[in-house]
mmCIF file of all heavy atoms in Angstrom:
data_model
loop_
_atom_site.group_PDB
_atom_site.id
_atom_site.type_symbol
_atom_site.label_atom_id
_atom_site.label_comp_id
_atom_site.label_asym_id
_atom_site.label_seq_id
_atom_site.Cartn_x
_atom_site.Cartn_y
_atom_site.Cartn_z
ATOM 1 N N LYS A 8 117.966 98.011 40.311
ATOM 2 C CA LYS A 8 117.676 97.388 41.652
ATOM 3 C C LYS A 8 118.371 96.159 41.762
ATOM 4 O O LYS A 8 118.676 95.653 42.802
ATOM 5 C CB LYS A 8 116.227 97.338 41.845
ATOM 6 C CG LYS A 8 115.496 98.601 42.143
ATOM 7 C CD LYS A 8 114.073 98.437 42.520
ATOM 8 C CE LYS A 8 113.303 99.718 42.841
ATOM 9 N NZ LYS A 8 111.900 99.582 43.276
ATOM 10 N N THR A 9 118.439 95.365 40.654
ATOM 11 C CA THR A 9 119.310 93.999 40.761
ATOM 12 C C THR A 9 120.639 94.299 41.007
ATOM 13 O O THR A 9 121.370 93.485 41.793
ATOM 14 C CB THR A 9 118.983 93.275 39.475
ATOM 15 O OG1 THR A 9 117.662 93.160 39.023
ATOM 16 C CG2 THR A 9 119.557 91.883 39.478
ATOM 17 N N VAL A 10 121.231 95.371 40.414
ATOM 18 C CA VAL A 10 122.746 95.625 40.717
ATOM 19 C C VAL A 10 122.794 95.946 42.207
ATOM 20 O O VAL A 10 123.816 95.443 42.892
ATOM 21 C CB VAL A 10 123.046 96.866 39.883
ATOM 22 C CG1 VAL A 10 124.577 97.280 40.404
ATOM 23 C CG2 VAL A 10 123.122 96.512 38.435
ATOM 24 N N LEU A 11 121.910 96.696 42.785
ATOM 25 C CA LEU A 11 121.959 96.951 44.228
ATOM 26 C C LEU A 11 121.831 95.783 45.106
ATOM 27 O O LEU A 11 122.398 95.536 46.077
ATOM 28 C CB LEU A 11 120.825 97.919 44.639
ATOM 29 C CG LEU A 11 120.808 99.363 44.017
ATOM 30 C CD1 LEU A 11 119.639 100.120 44.438
ATOM 31 C CD2 LEU A 11 122.201 100.016 44.539
ATOM 32 N N ALA A 12 120.948 94.783 44.568
ATOM 33 C CA ALA A 12 120.783 93.433 45.325
ATOM 34 C C ALA A 12 122.113 92.808 45.289
ATOM 35 O O ALA A 12 122.441 92.150 46.389
ATOM 36 C CB ALA A 12 119.699 92.724 44.606
ATOM 37 N N TYR A 13 122.817 92.611 44.290
ATOM 38 C CA TYR A 13 124.084 91.994 44.184
ATOM 39 C C TYR A 13 125.104 92.739 45.082
ATOM 40 O O TYR A 13 126.058 92.114 45.719
ATOM 41 C CB TYR A 13 124.697 91.834 42.861
ATOM 42 C CG TYR A 13 124.163 90.636 42.067
ATOM 43 C CD1 TYR A 13 123.069 90.706 41.313
ATOM 44 C CD2 TYR A 13 124.694 89.450 42.310
ATOM 45 C CE1 TYR A 13 122.554 89.520 40.628
ATOM 46 C CE2 TYR A 13 124.264 88.318 41.658
ATOM 47 C CZ TYR A 13 123.185 88.418 40.812
ATOM 48 O OH TYR A 13 122.665 87.206 40.175
ATOM 49 N N SER A 14 125.028 94.065 45.201
ATOM 50 C CA SER A 14 125.881 94.866 46.100
ATOM 51 C C SER A 14 125.611 94.519 47.484
ATOM 52 O O SER A 14 126.555 94.372 48.219
ATOM 53 C CB SER A 14 125.575 96.365 45.756
ATOM 54 O OG SER A 14 126.192 97.099 46.782
ATOM 55 N N SER A 15 124.362 94.199 47.854
ATOM 56 C CA SER A 15 123.980 93.838 49.200
ATOM 57 C C SER A 15 124.615 92.525 49.505
ATOM 58 O O SER A 15 125.082 92.341 50.702
ATOM 59 C CB SER A 15 122.480 93.796 49.466
ATOM 60 O OG SER A 15 121.856 95.093 49.247
ATOM 61 N N ILE A 16 124.601 91.590 48.572
ATOM 62 C CA ILE A 16 125.266 90.332 48.692
ATOM 63 C C ILE A 16 126.711 90.522 49.091
ATOM 64 O O ILE A 16 127.285 89.789 50.137
ATOM 65 C CB ILE A 16 125.117 89.307 47.579
ATOM 66 C CG1 ILE A 16 123.592 88.958 47.402
ATOM 67 C CG2 ILE A 16 125.861 88.125 47.726
ATOM 68 C CD1 ILE A 16 123.228 88.425 46.079
ATOM 69 N N SER A 17 127.344 91.347 48.474
ATOM 70 C CA SER A 17 128.781 91.503 48.715
ATOM 71 C C SER A 17 129.087 92.208 50.029
ATOM 72 O O SER A 17 129.987 91.854 50.720
ATOM 73 C CB SER A 17 129.449 92.250 47.533
ATOM 74 O OG SER A 17 128.941 93.662 47.510
ATOM 75 N N GLN A 18 128.262 93.229 50.287
ATOM 76 C CA GLN A 18 128.295 93.917 51.655
ATOM 77 C C GLN A 18 128.065 93.017 52.816
ATOM 78 O O GLN A 18 128.767 93.312 53.840
ATOM 79 C CB GLN A 18 127.389 95.075 51.628
ATOM 80 C CG GLN A 18 127.691 96.101 50.694
ATOM 81 C CD GLN A 18 128.914 96.993 51.021
ATOM 82 O OE1 GLN A 18 129.161 97.354 52.155
ATOM 83 N NE2 GLN A 18 129.690 97.332 49.970
ATOM 84 N N MET A 19 127.373 92.029 52.637
ATOM 85 C CA MET A 19 127.068 91.036 53.799
ATOM 86 C C MET A 19 128.488 90.369 54.037
ATOM 87 O O MET A 19 128.570 89.893 55.213
ATOM 88 C CB MET A 19 126.047 90.020 53.371
ATOM 89 C CG MET A 19 124.672 90.463 53.354
ATOM 90 S SD MET A 19 124.074 91.359 54.700
ATOM 91 C CE MET A 19 124.298 93.108 54.203
ATOM 92 N N GLY A 20 129.390 90.264 53.129
ATOM 93 C CA GLY A 20 130.644 89.695 53.417
ATOM 94 C C GLY A 20 131.469 90.433 54.484
ATOM 95 O O GLY A 20 132.150 89.765 55.240
ATOM 96 N N PHE A 21 131.263 91.739 54.608
ATOM 97 C CA PHE A 21 131.992 92.529 55.643
ATOM 98 C C PHE A 21 131.379 92.175 56.918
ATOM 99 O O PHE A 21 132.148 92.041 57.901
ATOM 100 C CB PHE A 21 131.785 94.042 55.306
ATOM 101 C CG PHE A 21 132.466 94.519 54.111
ATOM 102 C CD1 PHE A 21 131.859 95.024 53.057
ATOM 103 C CD2 PHE A 21 133.842 94.534 54.192
ATOM 104 C CE1 PHE A 21 132.432 95.508 51.913
ATOM 105 C CE2 PHE A 21 134.561 95.132 53.040
ATOM 106 C CZ PHE A 21 133.856 95.543 51.915
ATOM 107 N N LEU A 22 130.091 91.934 57.045
ATOM 108 C CA LEU A 22 129.493 91.500 58.305
ATOM 109 C C LEU A 22 129.876 90.224 58.689
ATOM 110 O O LEU A 22 130.205 89.925 59.956
ATOM 111 C CB LEU A 22 128.003 91.662 58.217
ATOM 112 C CG LEU A 22 127.409 93.031 58.054
ATOM 113 C CD1 LEU A 22 125.874 92.954 57.828
ATOM 114 C CD2 LEU A 22 127.818 94.042 58.874
ATOM 115 N N ILE A 23 130.072 89.265 57.746
ATOM 116 C CA ILE A 23 130.491 87.928 58.147
ATOM 117 C C ILE A 23 132.025 87.926 58.569
ATOM 118 O O ILE A 23 132.400 87.215 59.468
ATOM 119 C CB ILE A 23 130.343 87.015 56.839
ATOM 120 C CG1 ILE A 23 128.885 86.960 56.426
ATOM 121 C CG2 ILE A 23 130.881 85.601 57.086
ATOM 122 C CD1 ILE A 23 127.950 86.347 57.520
ATOM 123 N N VAL A 24 132.720 88.777 57.919
ATOM 124 C CA VAL A 24 134.162 88.941 58.462
ATOM 125 C C VAL A 24 134.098 89.314 59.820
ATOM 126 O O VAL A 24 134.856 88.736 60.773
ATOM 127 C CB VAL A 24 134.960 90.001 57.578
ATOM 128 C CG1 VAL A 24 136.234 90.382 58.197
ATOM 129 C CG2 VAL A 24 135.176 89.346 56.152
ATOM 130 N N GLY A 25 133.329 90.326 60.214
ATOM 131 C CA GLY A 25 133.212 90.724 61.540
ATOM 132 C C GLY A 25 132.774 89.677 62.554
ATOM 133 O O GLY A 25 133.200 89.588 63.636
ATOM 134 N N LEU A 26 131.835 88.923 62.124
ATOM 135 C CA LEU A 26 131.274 87.782 62.934
ATOM 136 C C LEU A 26 132.300 86.860 63.143
ATOM 137 O O LEU A 26 132.541 86.195 64.229
ATOM 138 C CB LEU A 26 130.064 87.282 62.249
ATOM 139 C CG LEU A 26 129.397 86.016 62.918
ATOM 140 C CD1 LEU A 26 128.841 86.512 64.196
ATOM 141 C CD2 LEU A 26 128.284 85.523 62.115
ATOM 142 N N GLY A 27 133.037 86.497 62.060
ATOM 143 C CA GLY A 27 134.141 85.477 62.194
ATOM 144 C C GLY A 27 135.295 85.992 63.120
ATOM 145 O O GLY A 27 135.805 85.134 63.963
ATOM 146 N N LEU A 28 135.563 87.300 63.186
ATOM 147 C CA LEU A 28 136.581 87.792 64.096
ATOM 148 C C LEU A 28 136.083 87.665 65.503
ATOM 149 O O LEU A 28 136.786 87.398 66.422
ATOM 150 C CB LEU A 28 136.863 89.345 63.767
ATOM 151 C CG LEU A 28 137.605 89.567 62.395
ATOM 152 C CD1 LEU A 28 137.621 91.021 62.120
ATOM 153 C CD2 LEU A 28 138.999 88.925 62.472
ATOM 154 N N GLY A 29 134.812 87.954 65.775
ATOM 155 C CA GLY A 29 134.182 87.873 67.148
ATOM 156 C C GLY A 29 134.186 86.445 67.599
ATOM 157 O O GLY A 29 134.423 86.251 68.800
ATOM 158 N N LEU A 30 133.862 85.561 66.813
ATOM 159 C CA LEU A 30 133.834 84.084 67.086
ATOM 160 C C LEU A 30 135.234 83.624 67.428
ATOM 161 O O LEU A 30 135.476 82.766 68.240
ATOM 162 C CB LEU A 30 133.151 83.275 66.003
ATOM 163 C CG LEU A 30 131.733 83.456 65.713
ATOM 164 C CD1 LEU A 30 131.219 82.610 64.599
ATOM 165 C CD2 LEU A 30 130.929 82.975 66.981
ATOM 166 N N GLY A 31 136.251 84.114 66.619
ATOM 167 C CA GLY A 31 137.600 83.730 66.945
ATOM 168 C C GLY A 31 138.264 84.338 68.202
ATOM 169 O O GLY A 31 139.166 83.713 68.656
ATOM 170 N N ALA A 32 137.665 85.414 68.579
ATOM 171 C CA ALA A 32 138.293 86.019 69.698
ATOM 172 C C ALA A 32 137.112 86.560 70.686
ATOM 173 O O ALA A 32 136.772 87.662 70.755
ATOM 174 C CB ALA A 32 139.093 87.220 69.438
ATOM 175 N N PRO A 33 136.578 85.566 71.402
ATOM 176 C CA PRO A 33 135.388 85.942 72.131
ATOM 177 C C PRO A 33 135.598 87.045 73.183
ATOM 178 O O PRO A 33 134.611 87.785 73.538
ATOM 179 C CB PRO A 33 135.111 84.612 72.903
ATOM 180 C CG PRO A 33 135.679 83.655 72.112
ATOM 181 C CD PRO A 33 136.950 84.170 71.595
ATOM 182 N N GLN A 34 136.797 87.247 73.686
ATOM 183 C CA GLN A 34 136.972 88.247 74.663
ATOM 184 C C GLN A 34 136.866 89.681 74.005
ATOM 185 O O GLN A 34 136.605 90.664 74.790
ATOM 186 C CB GLN A 34 138.548 88.206 75.153
ATOM 187 C CG GLN A 34 139.638 88.535 74.215
ATOM 188 C CD GLN A 34 139.973 87.422 73.291
ATOM 189 O OE1 GLN A 34 139.303 86.331 73.305
ATOM 190 N NE2 GLN A 34 140.985 87.651 72.371
ATOM 191 N N ALA A 35 136.993 89.768 72.635
ATOM 192 C CA ALA A 35 136.815 91.105 72.071
ATOM 193 C C ALA A 35 135.478 91.282 71.394
ATOM 194 O O ALA A 35 135.233 92.121 70.689
ATOM 195 C CB ALA A 35 137.842 91.213 70.973
ATOM 196 N N TRP A 36 134.494 90.318 71.695
ATOM 197 C CA TRP A 36 133.260 90.433 71.045
ATOM 198 C C TRP A 36 132.421 91.548 71.235
ATOM 199 O O TRP A 36 131.823 92.169 70.350
ATOM 200 C CB TRP A 36 132.426 89.139 71.404
ATOM 201 C CG TRP A 36 130.963 89.175 70.916
ATOM 202 C CD1 TRP A 36 129.880 89.309 71.720
ATOM 203 C CD2 TRP A 36 130.632 89.176 69.610
ATOM 204 N NE1 TRP A 36 128.796 89.371 70.812
ATOM 205 C CE2 TRP A 36 129.237 89.260 69.548
ATOM 206 C CE3 TRP A 36 131.242 89.078 68.370
ATOM 207 C CZ2 TRP A 36 128.464 89.307 68.361
ATOM 208 C CZ3 TRP A 36 130.502 89.083 67.196
ATOM 209 C CH2 TRP A 36 129.214 89.068 67.153
ATOM 210 N N PRO A 37 132.332 92.112 72.478
ATOM 211 C CA PRO A 37 131.523 93.387 72.758
ATOM 212 C C PRO A 37 132.022 94.515 71.727
ATOM 213 O O PRO A 37 131.169 95.194 71.204
ATOM 214 C CB PRO A 37 131.864 93.700 74.134
ATOM 215 C CG PRO A 37 132.113 92.383 74.823
ATOM 216 C CD PRO A 37 132.977 91.659 73.828
ATOM 217 N N ALA A 38 133.253 94.735 71.688
ATOM 218 C CA ALA A 38 133.712 95.792 70.720
ATOM 219 C C ALA A 38 133.548 95.480 69.255
ATOM 220 O O ALA A 38 133.153 96.352 68.508
ATOM 221 C CB ALA A 38 135.262 95.995 70.983
ATOM 222 N N VAL A 39 133.744 94.158 68.874
ATOM 223 C CA VAL A 39 133.525 93.783 67.519
ATOM 224 C C VAL A 39 131.962 93.847 67.178
ATOM 225 O O VAL A 39 131.565 94.332 66.099
ATOM 226 C CB VAL A 39 133.887 92.303 67.254
ATOM 227 C CG1 VAL A 39 133.611 91.848 65.906
ATOM 228 C CG2 VAL A 39 135.435 92.135 67.484
ATOM 229 N N ALA A 40 131.109 93.557 68.068
ATOM 230 C CA ALA A 40 129.745 93.584 67.920
ATOM 231 C C ALA A 40 129.320 94.944 67.756
ATOM 232 O O ALA A 40 128.330 95.378 66.896
ATOM 233 C CB ALA A 40 128.969 93.033 69.072
#
């Protein structure tokens, strides 16, 4: 379960990438969201 927890930490990075893309291009936010 600890390995899964560290995997969750890394997977959150993908969501942060998406959030950064949406913040950088607000016109595309609905699709990015």
Side-chain angles (χ1 to χ4, degrees):
K8 287 187 177 181
T9 309
V10 175
L11 292 180
Y13 274 97
S14 170
S15 294
I16 294 171
S17 68
Q18 293 289 315
M19 291 306 101
F21 291 113
L22 299 180
I23 297 300
V24 167
L26 182 61
L28 292 173
L30 291 173
Q34 71 280 3
W36 173 247
V39 176

